[in-house]
Amino acid sequence: MRILKVQTLRGPNYWSIRRHQLVAMQLDLQELAEKPSNEIPGFYKGLVEALPSLEGHFCSPGCRGGFLMRLREGTMMGHVVEHVALELQELAGMPAGFGRTRETATAGVYHVVFEYENEKAGRYAARAAVRLCQSIVDLGYYPKSELERDLQDLKALHQDAALGPSTEAIIQAAEARDIPWMQLGARYLIQLGYGKRQKRIQATLSGNTGLLGVELASDKEATKYILSNAGVPVPRGTAIDYFDELEDAIASVGGYPIVIKPLDGNHGRGITLDIQTWEAAEAAYDAAKAVSRSIIVERYYQGRDHRVVVVDGKVVAVAERIPAHVVGDGRSTIEELIEIINQDPDRGDGHDNILTRIQLDRNSDRLLAQQGYSLDSILDRDEICYLRATANLSTGGIACDRTDEIHPENIWLAQRVAKIIGLDIAGIDIVTPDISRPLREVGGVVVEVNAAPGFRMHTHPSQGKPRDVAGAVINMLFPPGKSSRVPILAVTGTNGKTTTTRLLANIVKQTGKTVGYTTTDGTYIGDFLVDRGDNTGPQSAQLILQDPTVDVAVLEAARGGILRSGLGFNACDVGIILNVAADHLGIGDINTVEQLAHLKSVVAETVFPHGYAILNADDPLVAAMAKRVKAQIAYFSLNPNNPIVREHTRHGGLAAVHEDGYLSILQGEIKLRLEQAVNVPLTMGGRANFAIANALAASLAAFTQRIPLGQIKAGLQTFQPSASQTPGRMNLFELGDYHALVDYAHNPHSYEALGSFVRNWQGERIGVIGGPGDRRDEDFITLGKLAAEMFDFIIVKEDDDTRGRPRGDAADLIEKGIRQANSDCHYESILAETRAINTALDMASRGSLVVVLPESVSRAIRLIESRRG
């Protein structure tokens, strides 16, 4: 077997609208192309021995063991690789269940598509699955050491990409509210929402978190000073920088017992509690000094350790933190008890799991000695031995929920503390014998205030009820009823996408909103070009959606981007499908217009149910998409009597039509005339039908967004098909005695659309034509036939980049089409585009029209503009 290509899809795609994260692998089965699994000796036995857990795969039989049933009966190796890739991820802790395997147009070559949780792990799983299956085919087994290595690598990739439990909790809460999110790739920033409505988080810091509050919370001595002045009970303490200050500091807080901790530490590092002697104080000083330049000496207060989380001024969770400890069973040593605890699958290293494995250090040894134990000691049944003095989860502690027990006065105090320090999300550490009684009654104190508090002790307490602290953060950032999204208006089709996108953006601009839009010639925000180039894929869409100045996104979605990566958004408010015609067929295993229509329909199928899919009623392939769409439907048509439109509006539906020379909106029985087509510059005086169709689609999209008719009309009237506003889209130049037209028509459908305008020209018509080299032979022949019906004289040229074709091959095929359609047609071949254009311009007669269909639009425009006097 040989892997030909591996792609990762990150949005709605050709294979699934709902499953966005997919690996799409193109796999050549080679010698296994004709061998189903039941004809490969020992394959079933070898695969089951390697991965017995495949028993849990249902597959098409729809029952447990269904895949193994297919394996015994005989299935192709591409299908096996799909299931193995899914199972490898499952075993590595990344469950994924969706998969599809389909043979391509090339015999023996398969699309193997499966879900992933982590992109790098998904790609690794694809390669590992092929390697595993090939090994069993060749050897009858897959070495156990290789499988273990694969799983270790997959787990490492999973861990490397983990966002941390607090971030994950916030993301899950966002997803529950249907709030989109994305990683920004810098400083662990996560964006929630789109455009102007976005918010950002970094762990549990939010965009609302004030820098002064964070700075104050990180300075424990300053925090204590501010709180003490506000009447909040805090430990007596002082900060020192040098060892010779330690003895006086201990005396100033009233003597032993004391706490020594770093001034700016976190996660319990460098803290020593309940210090009773000078020797212990010396060791604690060294431990704290290793973490921070300055240290704090405080009076030690007896009581239990509590973390109170305040979000947006309200207490949302309270947990009692219990230090790492073991409970005796009467037979196991302390060391053995630790080992048993650390085998808990909920425990891991660092903060990646719900709990952290217990790790011993010199503080643990000292604490054991204070309790009269060693690691070899055997505890009586139910006897407790503490292994850490601090109760941090990061050192192996556990948490018990106490949210329902905290006294109302303590709630008031915690909320006040968060306000005093100035934090929207605060973790307040309280030591008190009884959280259900006011601190003032039992001698409790506020020990610390933490910015960016961890959430896992509240979302996954060891005992008690989980608390939705992440949901509280989401409700703070996006109060109920406040949208997290900006409107997304998506445009696709075979031809007219860029023009329609630009026109729609121009209409939306009339509302005064900032529009971000993507096209084949660049990405724009407002009136400014952000990135030049063919930007119709998901990366450019995300650029727009990440921009905090964008009010509305108008996004062109081309076939290539959808095939390669999926859409750059998970849902849209409007999806426009202009047309579907033969173009790029034979590329990316899209071989028929029906397959192309299925690909384009991804845009329509991702429209929200409350949004609108805007479909071309004159195109049967587009109109048929209505059956697959969950959104509301609106149609546009050049024919006011189109039966689909008439039936749709008869039932109160929405449509746009060209009737009696007007662009009109139909809303049930109501007709709203926008403007005469001749007054819309894009339509070239009403002569370009395809441009009228584009204007109808854009106007209808704007109408669904409740843009007033006057602003829609203004957008239509102010949009010029010029080289500056729509480069390469019906750009007409007056050159004294004759005219030149530049258009990016490059497929039969666009040639036909252009022909409706060119044939109406009163004067000689000269065409400079060609097409991209990666089209099929029959496509070039068709271009030649269509050109012969449009032009009086034709110059056949080729693109600079022939895309793998021999130089002159495409031109020969176009000439063949010209001769087939009109043997008397005048033509010549000038392969170099620059020379071909200059030749056509040189031969132009009075009143003639030179039509240039270039590879490089900018070069063609420069050549033409240089002819202006």
Side-chain angles (χ1 to χ4, degrees):
M1 291 182 286
R2 183 164 67 98
I3 297 173
L4 303 179
K5 185 192 301 182
V6 178
Q7 295 174 312
T8 44
L9 309 177
R10 306 176 190 91
N13 56 78
Y14 183 73
W15 300 99
S16 176
I17 300 300
R18 293 188 303 110
R19 313 279 185 149
H20 299 170
Q21 298 189 159
L22 299 177
V23 170
M25 174 169 57
Q26 207 170 86
L27 181 65
D28 186 351
L29 298 188
Q30 296 182 316
E31 75 281 359
L32 301 174
E34 302 296 330
K35 280 191 175 183
S37 56
N38 62 334
E39 294 182 10
I40 302 172
F43 185 80
Y44 179 88
K45 179 175 179 292
L47 185 60
V48 172
E49 285 179 352
L51 295 173
S53 50
L54 285 170
E55 171 70 26
H57 288 221
F58 280 44
C59 200
S60 54
C63 61
R64 183 177 173 82
F67 170 66
L68 295 184
M69 191 185 308
R70 291 282 308 277
L71 196 66
R72 284 191 299 268
E73 294 170 351
T75 188
M76 300 311 295
M77 193 55 63
H79 181 216
V80 179
V81 167
E82 169 204 323
H83 280 268
V84 171
L86 289 169
E87 186 58 24
L88 289 174
Q89 293 180 91
E90 177 81 33
L91 293 172
M94 294 172 284
F98 177 84
R100 291 283 184 273
T101 301
R102 299 287 185 270
E103 190 169 16
T104 70
T106 303
V109 177
Y110 283 76
H111 289 296
V112 179
V113 180
F114 58 88
E115 194 173 8
Y116 68 82
E117 182 178 302
N118 170 263
E119 184 171 320
K120 289 183 179 178
R123 296 176 75 94
Y124 183 104
R127 297 189 297 272
V130 173
R131 189 167 60 246
L132 183 150
C133 291
Q134 188 69 61
S135 176
I136 296 174
V137 169
D138 295 339
L139 306 174
Y141 67 94
Y142 189 55
K144 186 176 180 181
S145 60
E146 289 293 315
L147 179 60
E148 289 174 352
R149 178 61 183 270
D150 288 338
L151 295 179
Q152 287 173 3
D153 289 347
L154 284 167
K155 288 175 182 177
L157 290 170
H158 178 40
Q159 187 170 356
D160 288 346
L163 296 172
S166 298
T167 305
E168 290 282 4
I170 293 174
I171 287 172
Q172 289 171 11
E175 290 176 341
R177 282 266 309 269
D178 197 28
I179 294 171
W181 66 276
M182 63 184 81
Q183 292 179 260
L184 296 182
R187 301 185 65 83
Y188 304 100
L189 285 172
I190 302 293
Q191 176 180 317
L192 304 169
Y194 287 150
K196 207 166 189 176
R197 292 173 177 167
Q198 68 177 269
K199 301 290 183 180
R200 293 177 181 173
I201 62 167
Q202 182 190 65
T204 61
L205 290 174
S206 83
N208 297 349
T209 305
L211 176 61
L212 290 178
V214 175
E215 288 290 318
L216 183 56
S218 67
D219 186 336
K220 294 177 173 55
E221 190 66 10
T223 296
K224 190 170 63 175
Y225 180 82
I226 292 289
L227 294 180
S228 177
N229 285 347
V232 176
V234 296
R236 293 168 58 191
T238 186
I240 62 174
D241 295 316
Y242 303 104
F243 179 74
D244 58 13
E245 300 175 290
L246 180 58
E247 190 170 2
D248 289 341
I250 293 172
S252 73
V253 300
Y256 303 108
I258 61 168
V259 176
I260 292 180
K261 58 186 178 181
L263 178 66
D264 51 6
N266 54 31
H267 300 308
R269 289 191 292 267
I271 297 177
T272 306
L273 304 179
D274 196 12
I275 299 167
Q276 301 279 357
T277 66
W278 174 252
E279 291 75 15
E282 286 182 303
Y285 175 89
D286 291 337
K289 201 68 173 174
V291 175
S292 172
R293 177 180 167 183
S294 299
I295 69 169
I296 295 175
V297 179
E298 286 182 347
R299 181 76 179 172
Y300 177 66
Y301 290 82
Q302 296 287 345
R304 297 185 306 205
D305 188 305
H306 298 81
R307 166 62 62 83
V308 180
V309 172
V310 177
V311 177
D312 197 23
K314 297 181 178 63
V315 168
V316 296
V318 181
E320 179 187 348
R321 299 182 294 183
I322 300 174
H325 65 279
V326 291
V327 180
D329 60 8
R331 61 179 184 277
S332 303
T333 67
I334 290 175
E335 188 171 25
E336 289 169 342
L337 291 171
I338 294 171
E339 173 116 8
I340 292 169
I341 287 176
N342 283 341
Q343 289 174 0
D344 183 345
D346 284 342
R347 288 189 182 266
D349 296 321
H351 296 270
D352 294 327
N353 286 54
I354 296 169
L355 296 171
T356 301
R357 291 190 182 95
I358 297 173
Q359 302 286 343
L360 301 181
D361 60 14
R362 66 177 184 177
N363 289 325
S364 306
D365 296 337
R366 184 167 59 248
L367 189 59
L368 281 172
Q370 288 175 1
Q371 298 172 87
Y373 301 125
S374 71
L375 290 176
D376 295 327
S377 300
I378 296 176
L379 301 178
D380 294 335
R381 180 173 294 280
D382 297 331
E383 185 179 359
I384 296 175
C385 172
Y386 288 97
L387 303 168
R388 290 278 182 172
T390 58
N392 297 73
L393 267 66
S394 58
T395 57
I398 64 172
C400 303
D401 180 66
R402 303 290 186 219
T403 307
D404 294 333
E405 301 173 28
I406 186 171
H407 191 277
E409 184 174 314
N410 293 340
I411 292 176
W412 167 80
L413 183 64
Q415 292 173 170
R416 182 167 169 255
V417 165
K419 292 276 190 182
I420 291 169
I421 302 302
L423 292 173
D424 60 331
I425 303 171
I428 301 170
D429 292 342
I430 295 176
V431 172
T432 178
D434 187 353
I435 197 70
S436 67
R437 296 175 61 191
L439 298 192
R440 59 183 173 79
E441 290 184 1
V442 294
V445 289
V446 174
V447 176
E448 286 184 18
V449 180
N450 299 275
F455 283 176
R456 64 175 175 161
M457 72 181 77
H458 309 290
T459 58
H460 296 86
S462 304
Q463 297 175 23
K465 180 180 176 181
R467 300 294 170 170
D468 187 18
V469 283
V473 172
I474 292 298
N475 287 336
M476 173 186 70
L477 298 175
F478 302 99
K482 181 179 179 181
S483 177
S484 63
R485 301 172 183 263
V486 296
I488 297 177
L489 318 179
V491 182
T492 195
T494 301
N495 295 303
K497 299 184 294 296
T498 294
T499 299
T500 305
T501 298
R502 283 179 165 274
L503 173 58
L504 180 54
N506 191 60
I507 293 172
V508 178
K509 284 179 187 178
Q510 308 306 309
T511 66
K513 294 179 178 177
T514 299
V515 184
Y517 58 103
T518 61
T519 70
T520 53
D521 53 73
T523 298
Y524 298 80
I525 296 176
D527 296 324
F528 300 98
L529 174 66
V530 176
D531 184 29
R532 189 181 302 280
D534 187 349
N535 296 334
T536 56
Q539 288 76 24
S540 50
Q542 297 232 328
L543 186 156
I544 294 297
L545 297 174
Q546 288 176 9
D547 192 279
T549 68
V550 168
D551 292 303
V552 180
V554 182
L555 306 175
E556 180 179 341
R559 68 182 295 286
I562 301 173
L563 271 178
R564 284 191 303 272
S565 302
L567 290 178
F569 46 88
N570 60 6
C572 57
D573 299 86
V574 172
I576 300 174
I577 317 295
L578 295 169
N579 43 62
V580 177
D583 189 25
H584 295 88
L585 297 183
I587 302 173
D589 208 45
I590 301 296
N591 300 301
T592 67
V593 287
E594 288 75 20
Q595 289 175 323
L596 186 58
H598 175 71
L599 178 65
K600 299 288 186 184
S601 74
V602 170
V603 172
E605 292 180 66
T606 58
V607 180
F608 286 114
H610 63 266
Y612 277 90
I614 295 178
L615 307 178
N616 185 349
D618 298 333
D619 187 324
L621 288 171
V622 176
M625 294 178 190
K627 299 174 183 176
R628 305 178 60 169
V629 171
K630 295 179 181 178
Q632 301 178 84
I633 303 293
Y635 292 104
F636 65 94
S637 172
L638 294 172
N639 176 14
N641 295 313
N642 182 296
I644 294 174
V645 171
R646 293 186 67 178
E647 180 65 15
H648 183 64
T649 55
R650 191 171 69 84
H651 290 90
L654 186 63
V657 296
H658 182 218
E659 51 86 31
D660 293 336
Y662 280 88
L663 306 182
S664 300
I665 301 288
L666 305 180
Q667 198 169 21
E669 299 298 319
I670 301 172
K671 180 189 296 182
L672 304 170
R673 283 184 165 174
L674 288 171
E675 181 58 277
Q676 287 183 292
V678 294
N679 295 331
V680 178
L682 178 67
T683 70
M684 312 294 284
R687 291 173 292 178
N689 283 339
F690 63 92
I692 295 174
N694 294 340
L696 289 171
S699 300
L700 189 53
F703 186 80
T704 67
Q705 297 303 291
R706 300 181 180 177
I707 295 177
L709 294 182
Q711 292 177 341
I712 297 175
K713 182 176 179 179
L716 292 170
Q717 292 173 336
T718 58
F719 187 76
Q720 299 287 338
S722 63
S724 60
Q725 214 162 11
T726 57
R729 273 73 184 176
M730 294 296 287
N731 303 149
L732 188 63
F733 301 85
E734 184 178 350
L735 299 174
D737 293 338
Y738 66 99
H739 287 75
L741 178 72
V742 176
D743 192 80
Y744 189 59
H746 59 281
N747 56 54
H749 184 266
S750 56
Y751 269 48
E752 289 172 351
L754 181 64
S756 67
F757 172 79
V758 173
R759 281 190 288 268
N760 290 327
W761 189 265
Q762 302 300 311
E764 184 184 27
R765 296 160 296 176
I766 303 169
V768 180
I769 71 166
D774 56 1
R775 302 311 194 262
R776 302 171 303 173
D777 289 359
E778 56 264 40
D779 294 330
F780 288 109
I781 293 171
T782 301
L783 295 183
K785 290 178 178 178
L786 293 170
E789 296 171 358
M790 273 193 276
F791 300 111
D792 302 306
F793 188 86
I794 300 171
I795 297 177
V796 181
K797 55 89 182 176
E798 286 190 342
D799 292 352
D800 297 344
D801 179 5
T802 63
R803 305 193 187 188
R805 276 188 182 269
R807 177 65 66 186
D809 187 58
D812 290 343
L813 291 167
I814 291 174
E815 290 179 11
K816 181 178 179 181
I818 294 171
R819 291 191 297 270
Q820 288 180 3
N822 182 0
S823 59
D824 296 327
C825 184
H826 300 286
Y827 68 90
E828 67 173 306
S829 285
I830 302 176
L831 300 186
E833 184 168 282
T834 298
R835 184 166 162 249
I837 295 171
N838 280 327
T839 300
L841 296 173
D842 288 342
M843 67 186 298
S845 59
R846 179 182 293 275
S848 65
L849 175 68
V850 177
V851 178
V852 180
L853 310 181
E855 174 193 27
S856 172
V857 170
S858 59
R859 177 173 60 192
I861 291 173
R862 283 198 304 271
L863 290 171
I864 291 169
E865 288 186 330
S866 70
R867 301 280 179 137
R868 283 179 164 168

